[in-house]
Amino acid sequence: MLLDLSEEHREHLAFLPQVDSAVVAEFGRIAVEFLRRGSNAKIYEGAARKLNVSSDTVQHGVEGLTYLLTESSKLMISELDFQDSVFVLGFSEELNKLLLQLYLDNRKEIRTILNELAPDLPTYHSLEWRLDVQLASRSLRQQIKPTVTFKLHLNHNGEHNTKVLQTDPATLLHLVQQLEQALEEMKTNHCRRVVRNIK
């Protein structure tokens, strides 16, 4: 699978051939730090002074490299696919090898960082439900008022959590229809691409 880089990312990466390989390697280190700790304007300004370019140029170069490394790591593309993806950028063979080495050296760490950044959500364990129907009350002798009660058991960080939900059948039917519609939409090509990129 080849990476599909937009024109904007290509422009950001176009700065890399203008600097030597040591600077590109340093940009790779900064890119991994960027994932770990976030953006740091002082690092960009210091590098920009040394290279006699604007800090925006350095920032765009690092962000382009960060995107290249994270997308490659997310999709776990092979060495050959990475080389082919970078080849279309028109870089020198030396720079292509350096980028490949950066990718191979950092892909496991980048995947670890991306997994840590993923939201930690509760997971489904089990569900109990009950249907109650009120047939009459003191004020209304003939009344039918159905209620559905759910007891949802969740796991979160090894702890069991219970939520009690109550609704009427019409709302429950609407909820089921919306969930079925969402499941059908997950089968579309667009959603498959989005899910594949999230992983």
Side-chain angles (χ1 to χ4, degrees):
M1 172 190 292
L2 296 178
L3 283 179
D4 185 25
L5 297 173
S6 68
E7 277 303 312
E8 183 182 13
H9 289 112
R10 289 172 190 245
E11 289 172 15
H12 291 174
L13 291 170
F15 174 66
L16 297 180
Q18 300 171 17
V19 295
D20 64 358
S21 57
V23 174
V24 175
E26 182 65 17
F27 279 9
R29 186 191 64 75
I30 293 170
V32 175
E33 283 297 313
F34 173 76
L35 284 173
R36 237 190 254 123
R37 296 194 177 93
S39 181
N40 188 347
K42 290 180 182 177
I43 293 175
Y44 299 139
E45 290 168 8
R49 267 183 270 142
K50 289 179 187 174
L51 297 171
N52 291 326
V53 294
S54 70
S55 63
D56 284 343
T57 305
V58 172
Q59 182 175 355
H60 290 319
V62 171
E63 287 173 354
L65 191 55
T66 303
Y67 179 80
L68 178 70
L69 294 173
T70 53
E71 289 302 306
S72 301
S73 299
K74 250 193 254 182
L75 300 173
M76 285 298 285
I77 63 175
S78 66
E79 291 180 37
L80 185 62
D81 286 343
F82 184 85
Q83 287 174 326
D84 290 343
S85 298
V86 174
F87 180 76
V88 297
L89 298 173
F91 294 159
S92 66
E93 193 172 328
E94 179 188 353
L95 182 56
N96 288 348
K97 286 181 181 177
L98 180 61
L99 291 173
L100 175 64
Q101 196 57 47
L102 272 171
Y103 168 63
L104 294 176
D105 291 345
N106 294 304
R107 68 178 167 188
K108 287 182 183 173
E109 183 178 1
I110 291 170
R111 281 189 67 82
T112 304
I113 292 169
L114 292 176
N115 284 336
E116 290 170 3
L117 293 174
D120 185 25
L121 301 173
T123 57
Y124 170 83
H125 178 69
S126 65
L127 175 74
E128 299 174 37
W129 63 274
R130 183 180 74 217
L131 176 65
D132 294 322
V133 179
Q134 183 178 358
L135 299 173
S137 65
R138 288 183 185 180
S139 57
L140 292 171
R141 300 211 180 228
Q142 292 183 336
Q143 146 192 352
I144 298 177
K145 185 179 174 188
T147 305
V148 181
T149 305
F150 297 100
K151 192 172 188 182
L152 184 62
H153 300 276
L154 304 171
N155 291 331
H156 191 238
N157 296 332
E159 296 179 15
H160 296 292
N161 193 358
T162 303
K163 302 282 183 193
V164 178
L165 309 166
Q166 193 171 40
T167 186
D168 60 291
T171 304
L172 180 62
L173 185 61
H174 177 70
L175 180 65
V176 168
Q177 289 170 346
Q178 292 297 310
L179 290 173
E180 285 175 348
Q181 184 180 352
L183 285 173
E184 283 300 314
E185 191 161 327
M186 284 300 295
K187 295 176 184 175
T188 63
N189 288 335
H190 175 71
C191 285
R192 286 182 182 161
R193 255 184 269 129
V194 170
V195 169
R196 189 169 53 237
N197 287 333
I198 289 173
K199 291 179 182 178

